[in-house]
């Protein structure tokens, strides 16, 4: 665990040192849980967004995009349930003065119990070898059964308490489980209170005429309220989807995990409108599609897992998360939710406008059901960064930090270096750079030794470095070095473009 925390700190330091992510307002000591992206971070973020957009919109003829405003009519948030129910229960430790989400304290406690069960399984597998039957073990081992019973008991108390907004019951649960503050180690807790996560501001020039409006806590509502405009103007037939990427804002209580949990962040969401009764089929379809997308980045499948929700949000009839193994453990990266007709029906009710779709095949009008896929762009960025960060010991005894970012997402695809600053090599290198930069983000560098330049590009994840030397002037060949293998090949200049193109396709 300590190692993983250490790794997380190294990734954060690396992200700053190499221009990926900076603390917002750093010269004023920062603004908590708000971050800025530097030049390399911006490229990586743009590439992740484009990679998602291509998979969702370009590759699906029945999905189109929109870009709705951050400010929306305040009644939208009443209809969606956010004004009344977008709350987290918070609790403070009086000794450390740290604030926590009360439900997360209990869930972390549950994760520890699950960890104990997993340990028993690992121990038993070692002991029994090939004869080990995991299923039978889980169903019969007394220690496992006792822990499972504890989990069921906690769930049986936490979920109803959350559903009924029973803050006293959550407090009692924390006391009964003897949960201590991870910082102070004490159990000196305040009462549990509800806290609404939406930021608000005022629109209008005079104090009397101003209306309180909210900064959107999710992009989805912009899709719901536009769905008929989009359907009609794009002549979409059910099933069809609307995709959107954009900023969302949440006044998070616990915001201590770098860009994992921010107060201003970006979402990439897609709402898929389907016939009532067909939503579970599409929900399963999108679960599978989204997992395929994650694995298509080249990150091994075992770094991801599904977590099906036991406790469903008020709008959902099925929900799962895709979790990623961050250095801080397996955590939610994306949510896939079958949201029923909850949002559209609520908007019908609150706006007084009909939001029905006429299904000409069925000759029927209905409020469509919706399956949503919702991923945090910044969390995906963190997943890519933490998987990419590699500290390698090399055969010659030295070491290097290399960011093994999937090529298609890497900030720069090619770095071009003249071996020296004279003899016409920079001119030749510039010529190569000019030939490539229309198609690829390229970086030109002539300072320092070639070795140092390689290291700098390893550290930002550039898949290829091209070096121009004296032989280049004679036969138009260059050395091309691949980031992960560090293999160097001599190739003719006109091959560089196709080598890079191949790599981007293969990822
Ligand atoms: P969590 O349980 O982590 O608070 P959530 O279940 O509230 O997340 P959703 O409302 O389903 O999250 O939002 C969809 C996605 O948006 C999440 O899977 C996550 O990737 C991203 N996301 C949500 N909140 C934040 C945040 N504060 N900072 C960064 N990304 C976020």
């Amino acid at each position: 665990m300590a190692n993983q925390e250490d790794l997380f700190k190294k990734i954060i330091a690396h992200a700053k040192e190499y221009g990926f992510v900076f603390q917002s307002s750093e010269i004023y000591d920062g603004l908590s849980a708000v971050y800025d992206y530097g030049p390399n971070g911006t490229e990586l973020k743009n590439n992740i967004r484009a990679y998602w957009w291509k998979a969702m919109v370009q590759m699906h003829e029945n999905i189109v995009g929109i870009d709705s405003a951050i400010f929306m009519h305040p009644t939208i948030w009443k209809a969606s349930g956010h004004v009344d129910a977008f709350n987290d229960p918070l609790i403070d430790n009086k000794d450390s003065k740290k604030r926590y989400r009360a439900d997360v304290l209990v869930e972390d406690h549950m994760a520890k119990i699950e960890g104990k069960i997993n340990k028993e399984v690992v121990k038993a597998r070692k002991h029994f070898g090939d004869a080990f039957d995991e299923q039978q073990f889980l169903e019969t081992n007394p220690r496992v059964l006792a822990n499972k019973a504890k989990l069921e008991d906690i769930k049986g108390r936490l979920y109803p308490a959350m559903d009924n907004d029973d803050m006293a019951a959550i407090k009692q649960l924390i006391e009964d489980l003897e949960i201590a503050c991870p910082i102070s180690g004490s159990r000196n807790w305040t009462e549990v209170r509800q806290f609404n996560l939406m930021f608000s501001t005022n629109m209008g020039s005079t104090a009397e005429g101003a209306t309180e409006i909210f900064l959107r806590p999710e992009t989805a509502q912009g899709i719901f309220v536009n769905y008929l405009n989009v359907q009609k103007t794009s002549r979409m037939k059910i099933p069809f989807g609307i995709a959107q990427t954009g900023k969302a804002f949440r006044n998070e209580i616990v915001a201590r995990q770098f860009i994992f949990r921010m107060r201003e962040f970006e979402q990439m969401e897609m709402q898929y409108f389907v016939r009532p009764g067909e939503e579970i089929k599409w929900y399963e379809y999108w679960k599978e599609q989204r997992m395929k997308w994650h694995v298509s980045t080249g990150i091994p499948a075992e770094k991801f897992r599904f977590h099906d929700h036991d406790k469903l949000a008020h709008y959902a009839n099925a929900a799962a998360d895709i979790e990623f193994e961050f250095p801080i453990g397996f955590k939610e990266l994306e949510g896939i939710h079958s949201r029923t007709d909850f949002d559209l029906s609520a908007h019908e009710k609150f706006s007084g406008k009909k939001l029905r779709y006429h299904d000409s095949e069925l000759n029927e009008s209905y409020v469509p059901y919706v399956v949503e896929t919702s991923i945090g762009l910044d969390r995906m960025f963190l997943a890519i960064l933490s998987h990419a960060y590699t500290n390698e010991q090399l055969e010659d005894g030295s070491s290097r930090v290399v960011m093994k970012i999937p090529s298609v997402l890497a900030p720069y695809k090619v770095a071009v270096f003249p071996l020296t600053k004279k003899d016409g090599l920079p001119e030749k290198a510039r010529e190569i750079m000019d030939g490539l930069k229309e198609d690829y983000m390229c970086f030109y560098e002539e300072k320092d030794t070639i070795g140092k330049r390689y290291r700098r590009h390893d550290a930002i994840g550039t898949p290829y470095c091209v070096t121009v030397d004296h032989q280049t002037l004679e036969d138009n060949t260059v050395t091309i070095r691949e980031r992960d293998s560090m293999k160097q090949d001599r190739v003719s200049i006109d091959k560089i473009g196709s080598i890079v193109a191949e790599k981007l396709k293969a990822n």
Side-chain angles (χ1 to χ4, degrees):
M1 197 59 199
N3 272 347
Q4 288 303 93
E5 267 166 34
D6 206 36
L7 172 66
F8 197 42
K9 281 193 191 137
K10 280 188 183 151
I11 293 167
I12 296 170
H14 188 90
K16 179 176 178 201
E17 188 180 348
Y18 287 94
F20 284 96
V21 183
F22 308 127
Q23 172 71 59
S24 156
S25 323
E26 193 186 61
I27 60 167
Y28 290 96
D29 296 331
L31 186 65
S32 170
V34 185
Y35 291 89
D36 298 336
Y37 287 83
N40 290 322
T42 304
E43 292 300 329
L44 175 56
K45 200 174 163 199
N46 286 346
N47 292 344
I48 298 173
R49 196 191 294 106
Y51 191 67
W52 181 87
W53 195 264
K54 183 173 179 189
M56 302 303 276
V57 179
Q58 191 175 328
M59 299 304 290
H60 289 93
E61 290 164 34
N62 65 342
I63 300 183
V64 288
I66 63 161
D67 183 7
S68 71
I70 287 170
F71 293 148
M72 293 196 274
H73 195 286
T75 310
I76 287 175
W77 303 111
K78 191 81 191 144
S80 68
H82 284 81
V83 170
D84 296 319
F86 195 52
N87 299 319
D88 276 342
L90 69 83
I91 188 166
D92 295 285
N93 183 270
K94 290 182 193 160
D95 297 316
S96 67
K97 308 268 182 276
K98 288 280 175 205
R99 179 160 285 183
Y100 297 91
R101 254 173 69 179
D103 55 328
V104 170
L105 279 181
V106 177
E107 277 166 6
D108 285 349
H109 183 84
M110 283 160 57
K112 278 189 197 149
I113 300 177
E114 271 161 17
K116 281 186 191 165
I117 297 178
N118 290 340
K119 262 196 194 147
E120 293 285 351
V121 171
V122 172
K123 234 171 54 191
R125 182 175 293 121
K126 253 196 195 156
H127 182 74
F128 293 111
D130 286 345
F132 182 58
D133 179 342
E134 182 169 333
Q135 194 63 27
Q136 192 194 1
F137 180 79
L138 287 173
E139 282 163 14
T140 54
N141 179 277
R143 279 188 302 274
V144 170
L145 291 180
N147 278 324
K148 272 190 177 172
K150 266 190 211 162
L151 284 176
E152 285 313 308
D153 180 51
I154 298 171
K155 281 183 198 166
R157 292 176 63 185
L158 177 66
Y159 298 157
M162 293 286 288
D163 285 343
N164 301 328
D165 289 339
D166 188 347
M167 299 299 110
I170 300 176
K171 173 74 191 293
Q172 193 58 50
L173 186 56
I174 289 173
E175 276 178 5
D176 293 349
L177 296 173
E178 301 187 345
I179 295 175
C181 165
I183 308 278
S184 68
S186 92
R187 301 204 290 262
N188 194 7
W189 297 111
T190 61
E191 293 309 308
V192 179
R193 280 174 293 145
Q194 281 289 30
F195 178 76
N196 192 289
L197 300 185
M198 281 199 295
F199 285 100
S200 68
T201 185
N202 293 307
M203 189 176 258
S205 51
T206 58
E208 307 84 66
T211 328
E212 187 191 29
I213 55 166
F214 300 101
L215 273 70
R216 66 179 178 199
E218 61 174 28
T219 57
Q221 297 304 325
I223 293 179
F224 288 126
V225 297
N226 277 300
Y227 111 90
L228 271 186
N229 281 339
V230 174
Q231 185 266 322
K232 287 185 179 143
T233 53
S234 306
R235 287 171 291 114
M236 287 284 146
K237 277 204 175 114
I238 266 179
F240 71 94
I242 305 177
Q244 159 154 254
T245 70
K247 288 275 174 120
F249 305 83
R250 296 182 187 180
N251 200 0
E252 298 280 2
I253 298 169
V254 183
R256 286 190 278 271
Q257 289 162 324
F258 189 43
I259 55 172
F260 180 81
R261 192 174 298 285
M262 304 154 91
R263 295 202 166 104
E264 173 178 341
F265 59 101
E266 192 164 337
Q267 286 187 315
M268 306 192 286
E269 296 198 296
M270 192 279 298
Q271 318 292 134
Y272 204 65
F273 299 84
V274 306
R275 278 184 187 158
E278 294 193 351
E279 70 276 10
I280 297 299
K281 177 180 92 184
W282 289 112
Y283 165 74
E284 295 297 341
Y285 171 84
W286 280 109
K287 264 178 83 175
E288 193 191 315
Q289 288 294 310
R290 294 304 304 148
M291 187 59 106
K292 275 196 190 148
W293 181 84
H294 285 285
V295 176
S296 78
T297 59
I299 298 180
E302 59 268 23
K303 299 285 277 183
F304 301 96
R305 71 180 187 196
F306 283 115
H307 171 240
D308 294 314
H309 286 203
D310 293 333
K311 176 184 181 293
L312 293 172
H314 57 283
Y315 52 74
N317 68 355
D321 297 334
I322 294 179
E323 296 185 337
F324 176 76
E325 190 176 15
F326 291 98
I328 44 177
F330 267 104
K331 300 256 179 221
E332 172 177 344
L333 171 59
E334 167 156 12
I336 296 130
H337 310 126
S338 171
R339 287 177 82 128
T340 68
D341 61 349
F342 173 85
D343 302 86
L344 291 178
S345 295
H347 289 308
E348 265 203 342
K349 193 170 130 215
F350 278 80
S351 68
K353 307 278 182 337
K354 284 256 174 288
L355 294 178
R356 314 241 148 171
Y357 167 83
H358 182 73
D359 192 323
S360 51
E361 272 173 45
L362 298 181
N363 200 17
E364 215 181 273
S365 289
Y366 52 78
V367 177
Y369 271 44
V370 173
V371 174
E372 119 179 314
T373 71
S374 172
I375 175 168
L377 175 51
D378 313 85
R379 262 191 213 178
M380 187 63 199
F381 185 105
L382 182 60
I384 296 288
L385 217 59
S386 34
H387 177 255
Y389 182 88
T390 316
N391 199 335
E392 260 180 10
Q393 295 301 318
L394 303 179
E395 277 172 14
D396 64 4
S398 65
S399 67
R400 66 164 184 162
V401 170
V402 50
M403 293 301 273
K404 296 188 174 176
I405 300 174
S407 306
V408 66
L409 304 179
Y412 291 93
K413 311 302 180 199
V414 188
V416 184
F417 311 146
L419 185 63
T420 66
K421 283 189 218 170
K422 42 184 206 290
D423 304 335
L425 298 185
E427 290 75 9
K428 189 72 186 169
R430 282 273 175 214
E431 213 181 274
I432 295 174
M433 172 92 182
D434 289 343
L436 289 171
K437 73 181 183 192
E438 190 147 332
D439 295 323
Y440 305 111
M441 278 298 288
C442 299
F443 201 105
Y444 176 85
E445 264 201 287
E446 52 184 41
K447 205 170 162 280
D448 294 324
T449 63
I450 287 290
K452 277 194 183 151
R453 282 182 260 172
Y454 281 160
R455 287 294 175 274
R456 276 205 291 272
H457 280 276
D458 285 346
I460 63 169
T462 309
Y464 285 114
C465 293
V466 165
T467 304
V468 173
D469 56 18
H470 292 91
Q471 193 184 325
T472 313
L473 302 180
E474 287 162 24
D475 64 3
N476 265 332
T477 63
V478 290
T479 309
I480 184 162
R481 173 200 185 256
E482 199 270 330
R483 178 192 71 199
D484 297 352
S485 62
M486 296 190 290
K487 212 167 134 270
Q488 301 186 15
D489 285 322
R490 190 98 208 163
V491 302
S492 92
I493 291 172
D494 54 14
K495 289 271 163 16
I496 302 172
S498 57
I499 292 175
V500 178
E502 276 305 305
K503 179 92 174 164
L504 296 189
K505 253 196 252 159
N507 228 348

